[in-house]
Amino acid sequence: MEPAHGGRAAEPVYRPILACRRGELEALGHLDVTVAPLVAPILDIDILDASVPDALARLPSGLVPAVDVSRLPDARETELVRWGVPLVPVVGLGESDRRLVAHGAAARAYARRAVIRLRTRRDRSGPDATTAAVERIWRFTRTAPEQCDLLVDAGDVCCPADLREAEWRIRRLLDWSRRYAWRSVTVASGGLPPTLARLPTDEPVRLERWDWQLWERVADRDVGYGDYGVGSAQGGAGQPGDRLPTMCYTTDGAWWVYRWSRRGGRGDDRVADLCRTLVSAPHWPVAGAAFSWGDHEILRRARRVAGAGSASAWTAWSTSHHLAQVLTDLRYAGPDGRPQWNGVNTAERRRSSRPSRGGDARRAG
């Protein structure tokens, strides 16, 4: 893809912010090579594992992840240029001079670009201070705005009040961002609660996709879309002792959360029952198992031709479906940038559609 001008992405690129764990990496690994270039994942790494570079090297051709090591110690082992795999460094406003120099080396060695991650909740400062911070980044990394993708990360957006506050902050930052010719500008947020353990079991529970609604509100500013996949922006979804089979299934305007204790204590029985319920639900895609690798795996469990899997497998299937759903939604974005489906704005589509079955929890956890 050619560099963009004035913040426009050359292609409709989706930037999910994902934990660098087995389930998320497996979902990325099963992306079809034809759509892999449209996904630019940001991988949050909080534990340095020697297997991570090898896992990144096995990702599909055309998929170049951005890697955020800001939670790791500033040491030689966390210098991305030493990992020996194609990647894009994610640069925060508060990085040390030493780490900025290392990120610059990684940017020049691999994709010749970087992602500057501006967290609206953490990096609270005025436009002049933000300008000084990004110009410091360019000075130490020896990059230019045209080589950098700006990621405006709104963090946790889980209710209407969060949505209103986030939109206000995002619009102010987007006004500021017009000072520079960024390669692209993306708005990202997370709409899932930090724990799903308080939700009801044995029935699908509908949760609003507040992150998608935030993007709908600011899409007129010509920005790309990002989210936290099927994870929470606060991290640590789930809680100790909650080992129930759980899947978070994405539709165009909501998640359907399945937490299953039905059919007694056997994991195979519970997962099979969960998957049978899911594939018979109104939100199961028309394409069925062909919609994504994750949907194919869910259907196999519904038919009991494979075992129950594990928590990381359930995350992998949910994430795989989520990536496919978001790419489908973005393909139907209208000429004004607002998401559409066969010519109908998704917000209007949700208002005019019949209520789906299942509980509705607007904010849980």
Side-chain angles (χ1 to χ4, degrees), residues 47 85 100 121 136 159 169 236:
I47 298 176
V85 293
L100 289 179
R121 293 176 182 269
R136 170 177 168 268
C159 66
R169 292 185 182 278

Side-chain angles (χ1 to χ4, degrees), residues 19-232:
C20 191
R21 295 181 302 217
R22 179 180 171 185
E24 288 82 355
L25 291 173
E26 187 173 8
L28 291 173
H30 282 90
L31 276 175
D32 189 276
V33 293
T34 60
V35 300
L38 301 181
V39 181
I42 290 92
L43 299 178
D44 271 331
I45 301 180
D46 52 12
I47 298 176
L48 185 59
D49 189 323
S51 66
V52 170
D54 291 337
L56 300 184
R58 293 193 296 271
L59 292 177
S61 175
L63 192 153
V64 180
V67 177
D68 190 332
V69 293
S70 59
R71 297 182 185 181
L72 299 179
D74 191 351
R76 285 173 57 87
E77 298 77 26
T78 60
E79 294 178 5
L80 298 175
V81 71
R82 300 178 182 276
W83 289 18
V85 293
L87 51 77
V88 177
V90 176
V91 187
L93 269 60
E95 307 279 18
S96 68
D97 295 351
R98 181 180 183 279
R99 176 159 276 173
L100 289 179
V101 171
H103 281 336
R108 292 187 296 276
Y110 300 129
R112 298 186 180 278
R113 57 189 174 88
V115 173
I116 294 182
R117 186 175 184 179
L118 200 163
R119 300 173 186 256
T120 63
R121 293 176 182 269
R122 182 183 304 179
D123 304 319
R124 293 190 175 184
S125 57
D128 292 340
T130 305
T131 296
V134 296
E135 290 184 350
R136 170 177 168 268
I137 289 172
W138 292 322
R139 185 169 65 253
F140 279 92
T141 60
R142 293 164 53 193
T143 59
E146 295 84 357
Q147 296 172 284
C148 294
D149 299 292
L150 176 64
L151 177 68
V152 182
D153 183 357
D156 186 39
V157 179
C158 283
C159 66
D162 287 350
L163 187 64
R164 290 190 295 270
E165 180 183 0
E167 181 184 1
W168 176 77
R169 292 185 182 278
I170 292 294
R171 288 192 177 277
R172 289 190 63 189
L173 284 167
L174 293 179
D175 289 340
W176 165 85
S177 72
R178 292 184 179 275
R179 298 183 181 187
Y180 303 102
W182 301 94
R183 185 178 181 275
S184 72
V185 178
T186 298
V187 171
S189 62
L192 278 171
T195 177
L196 303 177
R198 298 177 184 177
L199 297 180
T201 62
D202 300 329
E203 63 175 303
V205 178
R206 186 182 187 276
L207 300 178
E208 291 284 343
R209 282 178 62 193
W210 300 108
D211 45 8
W212 182 257
Q213 291 186 36
L214 175 61
W215 182 74
E216 285 184 307
R217 290 188 177 205
V218 300
D220 62 304
R221 305 299 293 272
D222 195 24
V223 293
Y225 174 72
D227 60 24
Y228 277 76
V230 295
S232 168

Side-chain angles (χ1 to χ4, degrees), residues 14 16 18-19 21-32 35-36 39 60 63 209 227-231 246-251 255 278 284-285 288-299 301 311-329 331:
Y14 164 40
L18 304 175
R21 295 181 302 217
R22 179 180 171 185
E24 288 82 355
L25 291 173
E26 187 173 8
L28 291 173
H30 282 90
L31 276 175
D32 189 276
V35 300
V39 181
L63 192 153
R209 282 178 62 193
D227 60 24
Y228 277 76
V230 295
T246 301
M247 270 187 253
C248 192
Y249 200 77
T250 311
T251 64
W255 290 285
L278 175 51
W284 178 251
F291 190 73
S292 73
W293 166 79
D295 289 287
H296 174 74
E297 295 302 307
I298 290 170
L299 184 60
R301 272 70 191 180
S312 63
W314 308 328
T315 297
W317 307 338
S318 300
T319 301
S320 173
H321 169 81
H322 178 84
L323 298 176
Q325 180 65 55
V326 171
L327 289 174
T328 297
D329 291 345
R331 284 194 188 100

